[in-house]
Amino acid sequence: MGLARKDALVAIVGMGGLGCPVALALARAGVGALRLIDDDQVDRGNLHRQILFSERDVGRHKLDAASDALARIAPSMRLDVRKTRLRPDTVSALDGADVIVECSDQFAVKFLASDAAFLARTPIVVGAAIRWIGTALSVGPRGGPCYRCLFEDIPDGAQASCDVSGVVGPVCGVIGGLEAALVLRILDAPGIGHPEAGHGTLLRFDGRADALRAHPVSRRTSCPLCGVARTITSIEAGRYLPPRCDE
Ligand SMILES: [Zn+2]
């Protein structure tokens, strides 16, 4: 992309266990502007992995607490706060971002953000962490391999999330750090689609096996988003409907 870090707007979807370390790392790295997207409040039970927040933030809106913390860390960084959950009717919250970082714990949000990024030709980094295992994937602005090449659709009974499955705090730190590093690779790469951007490789960390492995992702010709006969050409609300884990 060759976009200077100080001129970049990075949108972070979800300010939980992944979003907190991502925002912290990007603020320290000199990214010019962050857009934070979340609708939740700081919960005492999540403080072990939401490293931007402290005990006195419990009960505050996450984005109010995050804004205060980030303003102390990087006073000149611009913050654009969107107090909403990313849904089909709020997906315009991603408009204009130079890079999107998906940090939610919901499959529906991951697919929605990934589809929207693909359709807008915006690079996206998607992270996930459950228990001792986490993954990070960078998808370029020029198509596949995309998130749907890896996971075709929202799995049946896909309630697996941090809230119900638990996650080890430092694993979120590792994956958030990897996501932030992938964002910086995109910004620092000499051009769109340049190999240095790191697109198309799934990084998988297993905290109990002391293993970080890189798996190349193959583009699937039958992928509904980036394949030759793709069927997803717009954001249709009915495609992103699994239950929320807090309901
Ligand atoms: Zn694909």
Side-chain angles (χ1 to χ4, degrees), residues 5-82:
R5 293 183 187 183
K6 66 178 176 51
D7 296 327
L9 167 61
V10 178
I12 303 177
V13 181
M15 280 302 294
L18 297 177
C20 283
V22 166
L24 189 57
L26 295 180
R28 296 280 190 192
V31 167
L34 295 183
R35 181 180 296 158
L36 312 179
I37 305 166
D38 202 310
D39 71 339
D40 214 352
Q41 291 168 345
V42 178
D43 184 303
R44 180 171 282 108
N46 298 334
L47 286 178
H48 72 105
R49 64 177 187 264
Q50 297 182 357
I51 58 174
L52 271 182
F53 310 136
S54 62
E55 190 75 29
R56 66 175 178 274
D57 293 319
V58 170
R60 298 180 71 197
H61 197 289
K62 279 182 184 172
L63 300 195
D64 291 335
S67 296
D68 288 349
L70 292 167
R72 286 192 296 272
I73 293 163
S76 61
M77 183 176 70
R78 297 181 304 284
L79 283 173
D80 177 5
V81 167
R82 306 291 178 97

Side-chain angles (χ1 to χ4, degrees), residues 105 107 128-135 160-162 165-168 171-172:
D105 62 358
F107 277 111
I130 291 181
R131 303 187 187 95
W132 284 89
I133 292 173
T135 58
S161 78
C162 296
S165 303
V167 62
V168 179
V171 173
C172 286

Side-chain angles (χ1 to χ4, degrees), residues 118 143-150 218-220 222-227:
F118 180 89
C146 75
Y147 187 69
R148 285 186 184 271
C149 289
L150 196 59
S218 299
R219 186 172 184 172
R220 283 192 301 118
S222 62
C223 175
L225 187 62
C226 76

Side-chain angles (χ1 to χ4, degrees), residues 96-196:
D98 296 302
V99 184
I100 299 165
V101 200
E102 202 293 319
C103 298
S104 82
D105 62 358
Q106 301 291 306
F107 277 111
V109 177
K110 294 181 188 305
F111 280 98
L112 173 60
S114 298
D115 290 356
F118 180 89
L119 295 171
R121 294 186 172 273
T122 303
I124 183 169
V125 176
V126 184
I130 291 181
R131 303 187 187 95
W132 284 89
I133 292 173
T135 58
L137 173 70
S138 174
V139 178
R142 287 186 175 161
C146 75
Y147 187 69
R148 285 186 184 271
C149 289
L150 196 59
F151 305 106
E152 185 162 352
D153 210 340
I154 300 166
D156 289 336
Q159 288 92 344
S161 78
C162 296
D163 281 350
V164 295
S165 303
V167 62
V168 179
V171 173
C172 286
V174 170
I175 299 303
L178 288 173
E179 287 194 274
L182 288 167
V183 170
L184 296 180
R185 285 180 66 175
I186 293 168
L187 296 177
D188 294 350
I192 292 172
H194 193 279
E196 286 181 18

